[in-house]
């Protein structure tokens, strides 16, 4: 099975610390019950239905927040929700007759508002993105904690906490209260504006995630306007009666929407099961991506694969691919097999909020993805093979031309000259024996030259010692004839497949030529040995370095020959630091 | 002098046999592969065998194997191995079985009748003959901090002759030097290269070639 695991920046793994959310939830429930008792015993209080709505609104936050915190301990949303629920009940302290609790309840009446603002702006990731978010949320906290304190201490209204009153003036209080409510409304509008901005700027999956916050903040906005209208304009005092009923309902819409979002995610997880059936074992490549994109509601979803013998990632066609970095709006989830990364889902960053979903969906498609990865590997190799085959054909063609030219210009010409010399000798054999002897000696010299050239050509095609005595002996011979001083350490005693011996021999040959010709090296070390059924060869020189694959040094052709035999070659050639080439070939 | 020929090329074999007969040699047998050679040897051993290194059935180094076999089982018979290509490794393998009465020459030398006959006489006389190509390749190869560079041009010539298997007297004749002068050059070469001196000419060939093969030859054969 493919195991899904996201990178550290996506979500840190680890066990869920269940104690804290549980304890906080219990505290929240107790606080809700205490608030209920205080409300019921408050003389001249609200109707039972209103009280029930009020307590239910706060309790929804406590319960949903606790559950969310427990389920996703690394996402701040749950904790924030729970904090909203707890602080919601601060206002009920004003129903206690003792002076100190009353004053606290009065001053921090809307403390919940700071957490609520934080919650909607950071919804659903729990993170604040950017400066505007942070400023707005900080302003919310300051206002929620300091607003009432400021007006009620300085301009105490009738019936407010006598304990801390500095100055009492009903008219001034009316004005201060009006300003405060106006600012309340402004802040509400700003918060909703920020959420709306997030929504309209977001990608489709991000919108799906932010949606609940937006439509929960709509009623919030309405509530804020309703709250401030009577104070600012002094109209319709009857509307004020609606506030205690309307606010908890508007408030509760957010956790309800959140639960709905969770359910939807569960549904998506459930539908992941269909993926297995739908995809079968070998769907066409586009089908996997489409099915995953559909299940995760991310049309831009892409797949990346890791194939053997290649660093980095490739797409399903085997083309190289980069994973998005942390600043990008895209994120990725790595799929592992036996602790090794095999594939990656590149998706919208908003899906990071639901890593479990990505993991389950990816797990369901694991077989198809693995199959696709193998196909990507094959396609990557095929693309390489097509290129290198074309190069090999070209090289073979050039080699044939060169051979033809060398034969024509060398041995053939000498043999023609020899024929001429011999026929001249034949003409003179009776009349001028002295000249004949000279011509014959000439002919012999020409023949020797021709033989020497033929021998050189034949050795260039395939040296006899390679066929006769194997790679170790052939490398020795090569070292003896090299144009540079060669230190050879070869422990290749056994015979290897013909093509392996030839490829290794000509590779070393080429590298020695390069060392002398291009790198201007004075000494070269060559080592060759067999390890785990693979021939390992290293050639290092003390030359000028700076060799690369496109430098006309024949290195490209060399790589082709090595890879054609399923081998592997690495080149290290820093400027001024010598050239070091290592290659290995499987020996059958 | 009685000669036996082993070469799978009939053309070359016949030409060589004709030339040898014309030069007063007795050609006991002409064979085309190693097995036939060994059979003919057991029937009537000659003074010297001329063996092509490449013969059927595998056309690789059958001739060399046969020669090595002869060194062990017929130590009195001299062997001259001919090869289209000369390889130091093969020369060393041959010499390792005892340097007396073995030769290793490039096949082209057959074209030079006097050279070939001289080589045949040398091996029959119990000396060793190594192709100049092998030796000049070894002498001329590049080494780091090369002691060969410290030799005078004349000493280099003497070194080459020595490695080809010639005795001091033969070197003197070739280079027009007195035996005393050759001796002086030889001991100077040995001290410069740090080779232990030996009076045995055949052992001398082996130790000179081994030295020349030097540090690159860490390969196990």
């Amino acid at each position: 099975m493919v195991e899904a695991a996201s990178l550290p920046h996506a979500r840190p793994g680890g066990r869920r610390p269940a104690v804290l959310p549980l304890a906080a939830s219990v505290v929240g429930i107790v606080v809700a019950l205490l608030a209920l008792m205080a409300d019921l015993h408050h003389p001249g209080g609200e109707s039972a239905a209103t009280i029930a709505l009020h307590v239910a609104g706060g309790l929804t936050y406590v319960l949903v927040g606790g559950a969310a915190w427990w389920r996703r301990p690394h996402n701040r949303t749950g904790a924030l929700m729970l904090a909203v629920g707890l602080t919601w009940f601060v206002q009920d302290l004003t129903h206690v007759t003792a002076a100190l609790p009353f004053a606290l309840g009065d001053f921090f009446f809307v403390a919940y508002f700071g957490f609520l603002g934080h919650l909607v702006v950071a919804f659903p990731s729990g993170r604040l993105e950017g400066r505007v978010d942070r400023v707005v949320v900080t302003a919310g906290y300051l206002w929620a904690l300091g607003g009432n304190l400021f007006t009620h201490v300085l301009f105490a209204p009738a019936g407010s906490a006598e304990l801390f009153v500095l100055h009492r003036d009903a008219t001034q209080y009316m004005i201060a209260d009006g300003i405060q409510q106006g600012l309340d409304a402004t802040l509400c509008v700003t918060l909703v504006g920020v959420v709306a901005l997030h929504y309209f700027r977001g990608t489709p999956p991000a919108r799906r995630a932010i949606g609940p916050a937006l439509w929960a903040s709509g009623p919030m906005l309405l509530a804020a306007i309703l709250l401030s209208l009577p104070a600012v304009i002094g109209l319709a005092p009857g509307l004020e009666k609606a506030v205690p009923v309307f606010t908890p309902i508007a408030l509760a819409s957010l956790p309800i929407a959140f639960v709905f979002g969770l359910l939807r995610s569960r549904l998506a997880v459930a539908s992941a099961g269909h993926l297995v059936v739908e995809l079968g074992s070998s769907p066409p490549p586009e089908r996997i991506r489409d099915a995953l994109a559909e299940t995760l509601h991310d049309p831009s979803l892409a797949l990346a694969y890791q194939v053997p013998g290649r660093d980095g990632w490739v797409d399903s066609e085997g083309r190289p691919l980069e994973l998005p970095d942390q600043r990008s709006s895209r994120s990725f989830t790595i799929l592992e097999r036996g602790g090794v990364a095999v594939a990656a889902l590149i998706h919208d960053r908003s899906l990071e909020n639901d890593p479990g979903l990505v993991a389950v969906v990816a797990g369901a498609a694991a077989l198809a993805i693995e199959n696709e990865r193998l196909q990507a590997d094959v396609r990557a190799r095929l693309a390489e093979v097509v290129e290198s085959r074309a190069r090999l054909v070209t090289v073979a063609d050039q080699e044939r031309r060169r051979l033809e030219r060398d034969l024509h210009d060398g041995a053939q010409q000498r043999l023609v000259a020899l024929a001429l010399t011999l026929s001249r000798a034949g003409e003179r054999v009776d009349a001028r024996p002295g000249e004949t002897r000279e011509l014959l000696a000439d002919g012999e010299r020409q023949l020797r030259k021709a033989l020497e050239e033929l021998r050189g050509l034949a050795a260039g095609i395939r040296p006899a010692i390679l066929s006769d005595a194997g790679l170790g002996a052939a490398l020795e011979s090569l070292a003896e004839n090299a144009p540079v001083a060669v230190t050879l350490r070869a422990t290749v005693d056994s015979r290897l497949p013909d093509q392996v011996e030839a490829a290794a021999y000509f590779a070393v040959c080429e590298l020695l030529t390069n060392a002398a010709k291009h790198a201007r090296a004075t000494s070269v070390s060559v080592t060759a040995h067999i390890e785990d059924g693979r021939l390992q060869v290293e050639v290092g020189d003390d030359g000028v370095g700076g060799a690369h694959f496109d430098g006309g040094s024949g290195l490209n052709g060399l790589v082709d020959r090595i890879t054609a035999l399923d081998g592997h070659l690495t080149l290290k050639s820093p400027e001024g630091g010598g050239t070091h080439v290592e290659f290995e070939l499987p020996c059958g | 002098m009685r000669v036996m020929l082993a070469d799978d090329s009939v053309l070359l074999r016949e030409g060589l046999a004709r030339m040898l007969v014309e030069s007063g040699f007795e050609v006991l047998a002409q064979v085309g592969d190693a097995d036939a050679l060994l059979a003919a040897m057991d029937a009537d051993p000659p003074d010297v065998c001329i063996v092509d290194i490449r013969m059927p059935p595998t056309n690789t180094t059958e001739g060399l194997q046969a020669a090595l076999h002869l060194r062990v089982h017929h130590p009195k018979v001299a062997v001259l191995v001919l090869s289209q290509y000369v390889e130091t490794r093969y020369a060393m393998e041959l010499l390792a079985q005892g340097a007396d009465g073995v030769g290793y020459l490039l096949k082209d030398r057959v074209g030079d009748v006097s050279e070939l006959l001289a080589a045949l006489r040398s091996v029959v006389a119990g000396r060793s003959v190594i192709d100049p190509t092998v030796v000049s390749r070894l002498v001329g190869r590049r080494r780091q901090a090369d002691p060969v560079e410290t030799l005078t041009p004349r000493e280099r010539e003497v070194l080459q002759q020595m490695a080809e298997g010639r005795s001091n007297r033969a070197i003197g004749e070739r280079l027009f030097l007195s035996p005393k002068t050759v001796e002086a050059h030889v001991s100077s070469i040995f001290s410069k290269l740090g080779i232990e001196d030996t009076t045995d000419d055949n052992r001398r060939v082996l130790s000179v070639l081994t030295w020349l093969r030097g540090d690159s030859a860490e390969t196990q054969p």
Side-chain angles (χ1 to χ4, degrees):
Chain A
M1 267 309 285
V2 169
E3 309 152 16
S6 36
L7 286 191
H9 76 262
R11 185 195 62 151
R15 292 182 53 208
R16 293 165 175 173
V19 183
L20 206 55
L22 199 68
S25 304
V26 170
V27 170
I29 293 166
V30 171
V31 165
L33 288 175
L34 289 175
L36 182 65
M37 276 156 64
D39 294 347
L40 287 176
H41 289 98
H42 181 55
E46 310 282 352
S47 70
T50 312
I51 290 170
L53 266 178
H54 170 78
V55 173
L59 203 53
T60 313
Y61 270 83
V62 169
L63 295 177
V64 174
W69 192 1
W70 170 67
R71 286 248 319 151
R72 296 179 189 168
H74 301 288
N75 189 324
R76 234 177 256 159
T77 306
L80 280 172
M81 231 182 256
L82 218 144
V84 172
L86 278 170
T87 46
W88 169 253
F89 292 113
V90 170
Q91 49 187 292
D92 298 76
L93 285 173
T94 55
H95 292 174
V96 178
T97 31
L100 185 63
F102 178 85
L104 287 177
D106 185 37
F107 294 156
F108 301 112
F109 199 86
V110 289
Y112 72 91
F113 196 82
F115 294 106
L116 185 62
H118 191 168
L119 176 66
V120 292
V121 172
F123 195 82
S125 67
R127 281 192 312 262
L128 295 175
E129 317 266 359
R131 206 191 158 99
V132 176
D133 286 11
R134 270 186 278 277
V135 169
V136 170
V137 168
T138 311
Y141 275 117
L142 286 176
W143 192 248
L145 293 173
N148 264 12
L149 196 63
F150 180 69
T151 50
H152 288 207
V153 170
L154 282 185
F155 317 100
S160 68
E162 297 294 338
L163 210 51
F164 301 98
V165 173
L166 293 178
H167 171 78
R168 192 189 295 277
D169 183 318
T171 320
Q172 282 177 12
Y173 170 73
M174 279 293 283
I175 297 168
D177 191 46
I179 293 172
Q180 193 198 345
Q181 300 229 10
L183 286 172
D184 273 353
T186 313
L187 198 60
C188 275
V189 172
T190 313
L191 279 171
V192 174
V194 167
V195 175
L197 202 66
H198 284 183
Y199 181 85
F200 288 110
R201 274 193 189 161
T203 51
R207 285 186 185 186
R208 278 175 72 87
I210 299 170
L214 187 66
W215 50 267
S217 55
M220 263 170 58
L221 180 68
L222 215 60
I225 292 167
L226 283 178
L227 270 171
S228 54
L229 269 183
V232 176
I233 317 172
L235 276 178
L239 270 178
E240 226 169 346
K241 286 214 163 21
V243 170
V245 179
F246 187 78
T247 311
I249 294 175
L251 207 64
S253 60
L254 183 69
I256 289 166
F258 182 76
V259 169
F260 184 72
L262 276 185
L263 280 177
R264 199 163 56 179
S265 154
R266 301 296 302 173
L267 282 175
V269 168
S271 76
H274 295 296
L275 269 180
V276 182
V277 182
E278 200 181 320
L279 293 176
S281 58
S282 59
E286 274 313 294
R287 189 69 205 96
I288 301 174
R289 196 212 71 83
D290 291 350
L292 286 172
E294 201 179 309
T295 312
L296 290 173
H297 299 285
D298 182 0
S300 64
L301 183 119
L303 282 160
Y305 305 94
Q306 210 125 79
V307 295
R310 242 172 196 274
D311 308 328
W313 299 82
V314 298
D315 66 8
S316 61
E317 295 300 316
R319 291 179 295 246
L321 187 81
E322 289 281 328
L323 291 183
D325 64 15
Q326 211 153 354
R327 281 160 303 176
S328 159
S329 66
R330 322 267 302 137
S331 179
F332 57 90
T333 302
I334 304 271
L335 308 181
E336 292 183 343
R337 164 168 281 205
V340 180
V342 291
L345 284 181
I346 301 173
H347 51 70
D348 195 88
R349 190 162 282 281
S350 63
L351 282 174
E352 275 181 12
N353 301 319
D354 208 347
L357 173 65
V358 178
V360 168
V361 168
L367 186 64
I369 288 176
E370 174 66 358
N371 185 53
E372 185 54 24
R373 182 179 77 88
L374 296 176
Q375 287 193 26
D377 182 21
V378 169
R379 285 188 201 104
R381 275 164 194 268
L382 188 67
E384 275 173 15
V385 165
V386 167
E387 277 173 31
S388 96
R389 192 172 55 184
R391 282 197 297 264
L392 284 173
V393 167
T394 314
V395 167
D397 218 40
Q398 282 168 352
E399 278 298 292
R400 268 199 294 273
R401 268 169 218 255
R402 193 183 60 78
L403 267 179
E404 187 272 336
R405 206 171 44 233
D406 286 355
L407 274 172
H408 185 267
D409 297 348
Q412 203 176 344
Q413 298 301 318
R414 293 198 192 282
L415 290 173
V416 170
L418 173 66
L420 204 67
T421 310
L422 286 180
S423 82
R424 283 172 62 208
E427 284 165 14
R428 287 163 177 74
V429 71
D430 295 324
R432 285 174 270 182
E435 253 180 61
T436 310
R437 202 169 297 123
E438 253 171 53
L439 283 169
L440 285 176
D442 257 2
E444 195 190 325
R445 268 194 297 280
Q446 284 159 1
L447 192 54
R448 275 181 200 289
K449 269 284 181 204
L451 278 171
E452 215 170 275
E453 279 179 13
L454 280 173
R455 196 166 52 234
L457 266 177
I461 294 167
R462 191 185 168 99
I465 190 162
L466 185 61
S467 322
D468 298 350
L471 185 62
L475 287 179
E476 220 175 86
S477 172
L478 201 55
E480 271 177 25
N481 293 296
V484 285
V486 176
T487 312
L488 174 72
R489 265 179 291 275
T491 49
V492 187
D493 308 338
S494 52
R495 292 307 299 264
L496 311 175
D498 273 1
Q499 68 270 30
V500 171
E501 287 186 335
Y505 176 87
F506 285 110
V508 174
C509 196
E510 178 103 39
L511 291 169
L512 289 180
T513 309
N514 280 352
K517 208 164 97 186
H518 300 297
R520 300 195 292 279
T522 56
S523 81
V524 182
S525 90
V526 178
T527 67
H529 66 279
I530 309 268
E531 201 179 297
D532 298 334
R534 293 176 83 81
L535 170 67
Q536 315 262 358
V537 182
E538 288 180 43
V539 179
D541 69 39
D542 61 354
V544 296
H548 46 93
F549 286 113
D550 314 316
S553 52
L555 278 174
N556 234 338
L558 210 143
V559 172
D560 287 344
R561 249 186 293 196
I562 301 286
T563 44
L565 296 174
D566 212 16
H568 187 67
L569 181 143
T570 55
L571 165 74
K572 280 190 209 106
S573 187
E575 287 291 344
T579 300
H580 188 92
V581 173
E582 279 183 48
F583 64 86
E584 54 165 52
L585 288 162
C587 305
Chain B
M1 205 180 286
R2 293 143 53 88
V3 187
M4 207 173 271
L5 290 176
D7 192 320
D8 59 320
S9 158
V10 181
L11 203 64
L12 193 100
R13 211 166 65 201
E14 289 289 347
L16 198 55
R18 190 170 302 163
M19 190 269 286
L20 287 171
V21 170
E22 282 169 6
S23 309
F25 287 77
E26 185 187 345
V27 177
L28 291 186
Q30 297 179 37
V31 295
D33 61 63
D35 289 345
L37 173 68
L38 297 181
M41 283 292 300
D42 292 335
D44 186 9
D47 298 314
V48 58
C49 277
I50 300 175
V51 187
D52 183 19
I53 200 166
R54 202 177 235 199
M55 281 192 294
T58 66
N59 283 311
T60 58
T61 55
E62 277 80 358
L64 184 69
Q65 304 314 320
L68 292 174
H69 182 88
L70 292 185
R71 300 300 299 150
V72 177
H73 294 96
H74 302 274
K76 289 210 177 71
V77 178
V79 183
L80 183 62
V81 175
L82 298 179
S83 172
Q84 198 67 52
Y85 310 94
V86 286
E87 292 292 351
T88 322
R89 167 185 275 255
Y90 298 155
M92 299 304 286
E93 276 181 45
L94 264 175
L95 291 172
Q97 295 286 333
D100 50 326
V102 287
Y104 179 63
L105 287 183
L106 199 58
K107 215 165 186 180
D108 293 14
R109 308 279 170 225
V110 172
D112 190 331
V113 179
S114 61
E115 192 83 353
L116 180 72
L117 296 183
L120 277 175
R121 289 196 188 96
S122 279
V123 293
V124 170
R127 307 189 51 79
S128 43
V129 175
I130 300 300
D131 197 277
T133 324
V134 174
V135 178
S136 52
R137 184 191 290 174
L138 283 178
V139 172
R141 68 175 295 207
R142 284 159 201 267
R143 299 173 179 83
Q144 286 188 287
D146 190 355
V148 175
E149 303 273 327
T150 66
L151 301 183
T152 65
R154 183 55 101 187
E155 283 169 349
R156 274 186 182 230
E157 283 177 346
V158 174
L159 175 66
Q160 168 94 25
Q161 297 297 324
M162 205 156 56
E164 285 176 28
R166 294 201 172 77
S167 64
N168 282 2
R169 197 175 54 79
I171 295 172
E173 280 167 13
R174 273 223 157 202
L175 302 179
F176 308 106
L177 298 171
S178 76
K180 278 275 170 211
T181 320
V182 174
E183 225 169 273
H185 281 315
V186 169
S187 76
S188 167
I189 292 166
F190 279 154
S191 85
K192 280 181 181 175
L193 302 188
I195 304 174
E196 212 174 305
D197 204 345
T198 168
T199 44
D200 183 327
D201 288 345
N202 291 331
R203 293 240 318 265
R204 188 170 81 175
V205 176
L206 195 58
S207 55
V208 168
L209 286 178
T210 305
W211 187 90
L212 286 173
R213 254 162 83 78
D215 53 342
S216 85
E218 288 175 29
T219 315
Q220 313 299 312

